[in-house]
Amino acid sequence: MFNALKRTAQLLRAPSQAERDMDYLNQATDRYDLEARERYLDRRAFPRTIGL
């Protein structure tokens, strides 16, 4: 009974940001697409600031 409850809780859990990022990278169709997606995630993680 506890295993069924545990399995249900895992199904209802929302994926973490790292899991969503990995899923996004796994959808790349070739090496160039993968590199572009990696650059996109890097820019999102470290936004550029204007000025200094």
Side-chain angles (χ1 to χ4, degrees):
M1 167 136 173
F2 185 71
N3 287 335
L5 186 61
K6 187 176 178 181
R7 199 170 342 147
T8 303
Q10 287 175 346
L11 290 173
L12 296 176
R13 181 185 66 82
S16 67
Q17 184 65 43
E19 290 170 333
R20 289 191 302 261
D21 289 347
M22 187 58 68
D23 185 46
Y24 175 69
L25 292 175
N26 286 335
Q27 293 175 9
T29 56
D30 59 13
R31 189 176 86 179
Y32 301 106
D33 184 24
L34 176 62
E35 291 173 356
R37 289 170 185 253
E38 288 174 333
R39 284 192 302 272
Y40 170 76
L41 291 177
D42 285 342
R43 282 193 309 267
R44 188 194 67 196
F46 302 106
R48 294 182 185 179
T49 57
I50 307 239
L52 303 173

